[in-house]
Amino acid sequence: MKRQLEKYAGKLIADGGADAASMAILAKDDQILELGSPELLQLGRAVLERLNVVSLVIADPSLPLLDTLFGRLSPQASEIVPLDTETRTFLHDIPVVRRDQFSAEHPERLVELLGQRKGILVEGVGIMTTGSVTVELGYINYCSIYHALFIKILLDFLQGNPPTLNEIQSLLPLWHQLQVPIPERVDDLRGAGLGEHEDILHAMEIAGRRTVELHLVDSFFGNISCRVGSRQYISQTGASLDELSGCIDIVADDNSSTAGITASSELIAHRAIYQQTGAAAILHGHPKFSVILSLLCEETDCRIKDCWKECERVRSLCGTPIVAGEVGAGGIAKKVPPVIGETGTAIVYGHGVFATGSNDFVRPLRALIRLENDCRREYLRLLQGRVVDSSSSVLLAQKQV
Amino acid sequence: MNGWCGRLLAVDLSSGKIWVESLKQELLQAYLGGRGLGVRLLRDSYHLDPFASEIPLVFAVGPLCGTPAPTAARLAVVSRSPLTGTIYDCSAGGRFAWRLKAAGFDAVRISGQSTSPKVLAITPQGGELLPATELWGQPIAETVQALSGRGSVAAIGPAGENRVLFGNIMMGEGNAVGRGGLGAVMGAKQLKAITVDGDRRYDVADRPRFDQARKDIMRLFRASPVIFGDLGIAEYGTPALVDLMAQRRMAPTENFRKTVFSRSDKYSGPAIRQAYQPKKDGCYGCPIQCKKSTREGVPLPEYETVSHFGALNGVDDLRSIVQSNTICNQMGMDTISAAVTLATWGELRGTFLRADELAPLLRDIAFRRGDGDLLDLGSARLAAQKGQPNLSMSVKGLELPAYDPRGAYGMALAYCTSNRGGCHLRAYPISHEILRKPVATDRFSFAGKARIIKIAEDTNATIDSLVACKFSFFGASLEEYGELLSATTGCEYDPQHLKSIGERIYLTERFYNQQNGFTAAADQLPERFFVEPGSSGEGIEVPPIDRQRFAEEMDKYYRMRGLTPEGRFADADFLERQP
Ligand SMILES: [Zn+2]
């Protein structure tokens, strides 16, 4: 269990946008095991002792997303509602707690809210999440909330109040990051063909890991598959794309075995895509700016409220079709296959991107990278149109020196 | 009061008296219903012999029953098990639960013993005892048919009448109140069947909130491959697990001597589909519909049943497996305990039964004739009487289901910590150890498992008290069910609060068991699993369970439960401190 703490503390920093100085991770065995900043651990212990769960993650993202959120929230707001559909499917609303509502001596409000929800946003502290089964689950819930928060704030810059100079300044590292395109590191996947069993597993593992390293998905979400003969290799449900070894199921087209019951919840969608397009490989990630821009809709007098599952239109973003649909047996499997054939890429409203390839993972991975790079540029362009002062404008265009 | 009726129907079969008692709101809020309420109602009688006249047999529904909450038209039946000697509850679906609520009752408590066979007929006006002499001896379908004008039926078959220690109570739609022999308890009371009819409807306290929670749950079901995936249980029923357990090399074979049966594809989910073209069936009000039946409406076996009449007995003949299931259903007899007992018998004799020997022997067990008059006692008593107690693959006398503990260490612990004996459903670690829900754990590791099992036991005690189906939790969690419950009752229930209710229920059961003589020595797996390996191969090593690591994790479990190192309660007043 100690090893689990170390592993996920490392991941929090590498993939979760957290900072070593402002994070704590705790787990309950027959006693509490812990790792992280002493101050947060004191609070963490006080909370975890009172909860019937396994793990607790506390981390303040190094980008000041929480400060930005609290600066924008009305003082009465007691929760935020995630806009991205994956988080919305699994986490519902996310409670927020103000500085004056708790202390390490009096964590009752935190305990109460964490007794109701898998995670909360705490002013001055960060994101706090629990795991009812493992340390990993606490980390997964953290990643979901981080993702939801990121999307919420960056979309709000475009749709709500324009960002202030102060906000632009505080997120400077992000704007710098966006100026540099995601590198097209796909060459080592070339020729990693889909021939022998071992080669296929290897190619999937590399492509999966790369997708995570390039931040095109939070490791636990997203999925990957390829079709060989009349069988499909597909990542398992809840498998980390950067740790696919031993987590790939082989599913026969004729359903002659049900051992693939553990396959990704998007197995149905992948199958339908193969049937309707003749593709041989599929990669699905949640690149942040593709997701954010997919949520921007110009429609004014539309009567649909739950756009993310009910919108029937096929819109377009950077030349790529956008459709709406729920996770799993809900809608993606119906909506994506008819539109993905033409461009080999499709965006699911508020959720992520599916991309196909005909003989390896080069084209799917490259498609995700290129689309995300296009969306980053487009986002910056739109944001430039929103900022009111010239200093903001200069900061947004600035390259890191 | 929303969610509960606040009424209990009390029946004394000895005197023939039937009356209505009111249930206090505090009690209902503290124990919810189903298992929790039933366990609470046994506080003054848990020490009685399961066949004693005065022991109550409680049927209890939950606060969500009667609402459109997904998978919640269920009830729990609670008493003391004649098979295990523990407190015992079992949850079952079917229309019976829904009709009982519609008749205006949260629970029925039946005590006493009739001098002749009776049927209890329940309506909103109360209950009535009808003579049932001509029904005594009838199989389930015939009994249900004979009572068809009276609403929903729960009945025992010949097995319950003859006090077979694993006799079931069967719901008219084919669902079983299974495992611990509560059918025998009902048989000892000479109660052949209960019918119930009613038409009362219920409002929930907060309809928009209820509808939102319901939508959230349905969305999570659709996002769960185990539930609604192409290869999931809505499509194939629980036999979808046959192929998976074979691949994981943890399908108990030949009385747990091996863990792979090479011919399991003969009765896998796809094989059943091909042979029977089953139709989807299931519990009333359940969107999943995981039960499968033949075109003629005969229920097809569940995973545990196919695997145990199959691999465990070395049988690959699907027809005879389905026939065995049908006989058990008709006789009102638990399939898992029956199949394990047959396998124990096979190992004791030195040869496992042939496919064509299953059916006649199962009938003999139900009627306690020939060898059946020994096998009706279950595998533990059978093996003990034959001088080889180690050959019974059971914990606390309850036969183990079709998940080999050498292939999932959380399962190994949970078989032992379960208050009703070797049951997979109390903590259901298969969910994370095998099905990766809500997240995967390392099935060959004990690390952290005691805590996971403890939390899951608390959670599942709550689920059994709501009463919802465990399969819902492959998608949803107590977060959403807490919302449903709050919206239904108007009282606030969050997951933390609900788990504390589950903890209270678990501890109450354990306390009853302790008072009835159970010690830590009973929290133990059969010796086989510590000394014999499973069937390793294809890159999967299945060693015997490390006895020391197992013991360490059990010690941790006792500490987490606040028990002494001997697994006992430190104070004798535990019950007095409970509501
Ligand atoms: Zn996705």
Side-chain angles (χ1 to χ4, degrees):
Chain A
M1 244 177 152
K2 200 98 213 171
R3 246 175 301 147
Q4 293 288 305
L5 288 184
E6 281 158 14
K7 172 177 172 184
Y8 289 102
K11 279 200 158 202
L12 271 172
I13 297 163
D15 307 329
D19 186 334
S22 53
M23 56 154 256
I25 178 162
L26 303 92
K28 245 195 234 179
D29 197 16
D30 57 336
Q31 52 195 354
I32 290 181
L33 308 170
E34 54 184 43
L35 204 71
S37 103
E39 198 185 327
L40 290 178
L41 285 175
Q42 194 198 343
L43 179 66
R45 273 192 300 273
V47 171
L48 187 57
E49 274 164 6
R50 293 167 165 86
L51 287 171
N52 200 354
V53 297
V54 169
S55 62
L56 180 72
V57 172
I58 313 176
D60 196 11
S62 34
L63 276 178
L65 292 173
L66 258 92
D67 295 345
T68 313
L69 176 80
F70 279 97
R72 297 193 144 235
L73 273 184
S74 86
Q76 293 80 36
S78 60
E79 64 195 27
I80 64 163
V81 178
L83 297 168
D84 68 293
T85 58
E86 180 111 8
T87 311
R88 204 207 285 242
T89 298
F90 297 102
L91 290 188
H92 318 299
D93 51 80
I94 306 166
V96 296
V97 187
R98 300 314 196 282
R99 229 180 272 276
D100 57 5
Q101 292 178 300
F102 72 95
S103 66
E105 292 71 41
H106 287 286
E108 293 83 5
R109 180 70 183 149
L110 303 176
V111 172
E112 184 191 344
L113 290 171
L114 284 170
Q116 297 164 3
R117 290 288 185 242
K118 299 180 187 86
I120 57 178
L121 296 163
V122 187
E123 190 179 18
V125 170
I127 298 172
M128 285 181 96
T129 57
T130 60
S132 56
V133 181
T134 54
V135 175
E136 181 184 52
L137 192 52
Y139 174 71
I140 292 174
N141 289 333
Y142 169 88
C143 290
S144 286
I145 292 189
Y146 179 83
H147 185 73
L149 183 63
F150 188 98
I151 284 164
K152 177 123 189 146
I153 290 171
L154 275 98
L155 186 66
D156 202 47
F157 284 170
L158 300 185
Q159 286 186 322
N161 290 332
T164 61
L165 175 58
N166 199 359
E167 287 174 327
I168 293 290
Q169 273 170 335
S170 69
L171 293 172
L172 204 55
L174 175 62
W175 316 130
H176 284 157
Q177 201 189 326
L178 297 190
Q179 294 290 347
V180 185
I182 301 165
E184 282 190 25
R185 282 171 51 209
V186 296
D187 283 344
D188 51 345
L189 282 166
R190 220 179 287 284
L194 307 178
E196 297 300 314
H197 177 73
E198 292 303 324
D199 298 339
I200 295 168
L201 296 180
H202 186 63
M204 289 177 78
E205 284 169 33
I206 300 182
R209 196 175 319 122
R210 188 67 43 78
T211 311
V212 175
E213 284 165 0
L214 298 177
H215 295 282
L216 296 165
V217 74
D218 290 312
S219 65
F220 297 90
F221 307 104
N223 33 71
I224 182 168
S225 77
C226 61
R227 190 158 183 274
V228 183
S230 54
R231 300 189 304 169
Q232 208 187 118
Y233 286 67
I234 183 163
S235 52
Q236 291 183 333
T237 181
S240 305
L241 278 189
D242 55 349
E243 294 178 56
L244 284 179
S245 174
C247 295
I248 292 170
D249 278 336
I250 300 172
V251 182
D253 285 355
D254 63 0
N255 288 349
S256 51
S257 161
T258 49
I261 188 173
T262 49
S264 163
S265 54
E266 298 304 354
L267 170 68
I268 303 179
H270 286 232
R271 281 185 151 173
I273 292 171
Y274 288 127
Q275 268 162 19
Q276 293 179 38
T277 67
I282 301 173
L283 180 60
H284 166 55
H286 300 166
K288 290 189 173 65
F289 288 87
S290 309
V291 173
I292 292 167
L293 293 189
S294 77
L295 287 159
L296 275 185
C297 176
E298 254 95 77
E299 207 66 33
T300 48
D301 57 347
C302 179
R303 276 177 305 177
I304 289 173
K305 290 224 171 56
D306 279 334
C307 313
W308 61 292
K309 56 177 182 186
E310 276 159 15
C311 180
E312 291 294 336
R313 291 187 50 207
V314 180
R315 295 183 298 127
S316 170
L317 172 62
C318 302
T320 306
I322 309 176
V323 292
E326 279 188 298
V327 179
I332 290 177
K334 284 186 214 103
K335 302 286 198 58
V336 170
V339 300
I340 200 170
E342 205 160 320
T343 60
T345 313
I347 303 171
V348 178
Y349 177 93
H351 175 158
V353 180
F354 283 82
T356 60
S358 49
N359 41 34
D360 55 26
F361 290 104
V362 173
R363 144 71 214 170
L365 183 59
R366 195 167 52 205
L368 249 65
I369 295 170
R370 287 187 178 170
L371 177 62
E372 182 67 355
N373 280 334
D374 288 349
C375 288
R376 284 171 158 207
R377 269 194 304 279
E378 176 64 7
Y379 181 86
L380 281 177
R381 192 185 68 79
L382 292 169
L383 196 60
Q384 281 286 8
R386 295 276 293 166
V387 295
V388 279
D389 56 301
S390 55
S391 317
S392 289
S393 190
V394 170
L395 287 175
L396 280 178
Q398 203 176 59
K399 295 228 159 80
Q400 194 168 12
V401 280
Chain B
M1 185 162 59
N2 285 99
W4 294 280
C5 322
R7 300 198 325 151
L8 171 142
L9 187 71
V11 179
D12 178 11
L13 289 164
S14 299
S15 65
K17 282 202 189 113
I18 299 178
W19 66 100
V20 176
E21 291 179 9
S22 63
L23 287 163
K24 285 205 198 90
Q25 192 165 347
E26 303 89 81
L27 212 61
L28 292 167
Q29 286 172 352
Y31 290 92
L32 302 176
R35 172 175 164 191
L37 180 59
V39 166
R40 174 64 183 80
L41 291 172
L42 257 80
R43 187 184 283 187
D44 299 323
S45 39
Y46 65 79
H47 56 280
L48 295 172
D49 185 274
F51 292 143
S53 159
E54 311 80 54
I55 193 144
L57 179 66
V58 176
F59 290 70
V61 299
L64 297 179
C65 185
T67 74
T71 80
R74 301 178 69 84
L75 55 63
V77 185
V78 186
S79 190
R80 190 174 172 197
S81 162
L83 183 68
T84 65
T86 63
I87 179 81
Y88 211 90
D89 75 282
C90 185
S91 149
R95 274 170 200 268
F96 189 92
W98 176 70
R99 286 234 165 84
L100 181 59
K101 188 79 171 271
F105 298 104
D106 296 309
V108 183
R109 189 190 62 220
I110 301 159
S111 52
Q113 221 158 28
S114 174
T115 49
S116 63
K118 290 285 189 309
V119 168
L120 170 64
I122 302 172
T123 63
Q125 286 71 47
E128 187 188 352
L129 289 170
L130 311 170
T133 312
E134 71 291 356
L135 285 178
W136 203 253
Q138 293 293 321
I140 297 295
E142 287 73 1
T143 306
V144 171
Q145 177 62 33
L147 296 168
S148 62
R150 295 184 172 273
S152 287
V153 181
I156 57 169
E161 295 170 10
N162 296 320
R163 301 190 192 186
V164 172
L165 294 187
F166 43 91
N168 284 351
I169 301 167
M170 302 297 295
M171 297 292 155
E173 297 83 8
N175 308 69
V177 174
R179 316 279 354 246
L182 296 188
V185 173
M186 192 157 146
K189 295 186 176 308
Q190 295 228 48
L191 183 62
K192 175 68 181 174
I194 306 171
T195 66
V196 59
D197 210 355
D199 51 14
R200 195 174 144 187
R201 298 188 164 274
Y202 294 90
D203 282 332
V204 300
D206 184 341
R207 176 60 67 175
R209 187 177 177 188
F210 183 94
D211 290 343
Q212 182 58 48
R214 189 173 190 284
K215 264 197 239 168
D216 286 339
I217 289 171
M218 290 306 299
R219 189 169 69 235
L220 288 162
F221 284 2
R222 287 192 291 271
S224 169
V226 181
I227 298 178
F228 279 134
D230 265 1
L231 306 171
I233 58 174
E235 284 296 321
Y236 289 92
T238 53
L241 295 176
V242 170
D243 291 326
L244 188 64
M245 291 300 139
Q247 196 197 60
R248 300 291 193 271
R249 306 187 82 79
M250 58 178 286
T253 302
E254 294 179 5
N255 203 30
F256 292 84
R257 292 199 305 207
K258 301 176 188 162
T259 60
V260 175
F261 183 54
S262 61
R263 302 187 303 276
S264 65
D265 61 323
K266 298 280 188 292
Y267 53 76
S268 66
I272 293 175
R273 172 174 280 198
Q274 207 184 8
Y276 290 93
Q277 272 103 48
K279 43 181 195 181
K280 283 190 188 178
D281 215 334
C283 301
Y284 179 69
C286 174
I288 304 172
Q289 300 287 293
C290 73
K291 302 242 182 311
K292 304 290 165 246
S293 58
T294 65
R295 298 267 129 198
E296 295 73 42
V298 179
L300 286 162
E302 299 273 352
Y303 164 66
E304 283 78 14
T305 308
V306 284
S307 187
H308 268 3
F309 280 123
L312 199 73
N313 282 282
V315 167
D316 66 2
D317 182 277
L318 178 58
R319 300 277 157 187
S320 97
I321 292 170
V322 170
Q323 187 193 22
S324 300
N325 182 58
T326 305
I327 291 170
C328 286
N329 287 344
Q330 272 289 69
M331 296 293 119
M333 200 156 70
D334 186 67
T335 54
I336 299 176
S337 286
V340 175
T341 304
L342 295 184
T344 309
W345 179 237
E347 190 169 359
L348 283 166
R349 305 190 310 171
T351 54
F352 290 94
L353 295 160
R354 288 193 319 270
D356 62 343
E357 291 174 309
L358 298 177
L361 190 49
L362 285 168
R363 284 197 193 89
D364 286 350
I365 292 174
F367 289 101
R368 291 175 61 180
R369 327 178 271 232
D371 290 333
D373 198 19
L374 177 58
L375 274 60
D376 71 300
L377 299 173
S379 72
R381 289 174 177 83
L382 167 68
Q385 287 204 14
K386 293 287 174 188
Q388 301 205 58
N390 279 346
L391 294 189
S392 166
M393 297 300 123
S394 60
V395 175
K396 298 187 182 72
L398 189 68
E399 288 76 11
L400 299 182
Y403 309 95
D404 196 287
R406 285 163 296 198
Y409 294 175
M411 191 72 263
L413 290 168
Y415 282 148
C416 299
T417 59
S418 153
N419 286 326
R420 65 172 202 177
C423 166
H424 56 300
L425 291 167
R426 299 277 112 162
Y428 213 26
I430 293 307
S431 182
H432 49 89
E433 293 192 311
I434 302 298
L435 294 168
R436 308 179 62 85
K437 291 293 161 194
V439 72
T441 61
D442 180 353
R443 64 191 177 107
F444 289 115
S445 164
F446 277 110
K449 291 287 168 70
R451 173 73 62 185
I452 298 175
I453 296 301
K454 186 250 175 215
I455 295 175
E457 284 171 340
D458 295 346
T459 302
N460 287 351
T462 305
I463 296 169
D464 288 334
S465 306
L466 283 172
V467 182
C469 173
K470 303 274 179 357
F471 294 162
S472 298
F473 292 77
F474 289 136
S477 69
L478 281 186
E479 213 172 322
E480 296 79 29
Y481 273 85
E483 277 293 301
L484 275 182
L485 183 62
S486 305
T488 299
T489 61
C491 318
E492 285 304 314
Y493 287 97
D494 63 40
Q496 191 68 16
H497 178 189
L498 287 171
K499 280 187 267 186
S500 70
I501 291 176
E503 183 171 33
R504 174 187 303 139
I505 295 164
Y506 175 89
L507 288 172
T508 302
E509 294 167 344
R510 185 157 180 113
F511 190 84
Y512 290 174
N513 287 347
Q514 173 186 306
Q515 298 307 91
N516 281 332
F518 285 89
T519 65
D523 300 342
Q524 190 55 276
L525 283 173
E527 180 68 6
R528 167 163 286 166
F529 301 115
F530 297 110
V531 292
E532 296 174 27
S535 314
S536 302
E538 297 188 336
I540 301 175
E541 194 65 35
V542 191
I545 294 172
D546 181 332
R547 200 188 300 265
Q548 196 190 335
R549 270 302 282 126
F550 177 85
E552 282 166 12
E553 209 59 23
M554 285 298 290
D555 290 346
K556 282 188 191 174
Y557 175 85
Y558 295 144
R559 276 201 292 281
M560 288 168 194
R561 281 281 179 207
L563 302 170
T564 68
E566 293 74 42
R568 296 184 62 83
F569 286 75
D571 74 295
D573 306 332
F574 170 77
L575 285 183
E576 275 107 85
R577 287 184 281 108
Q578 307 307 315

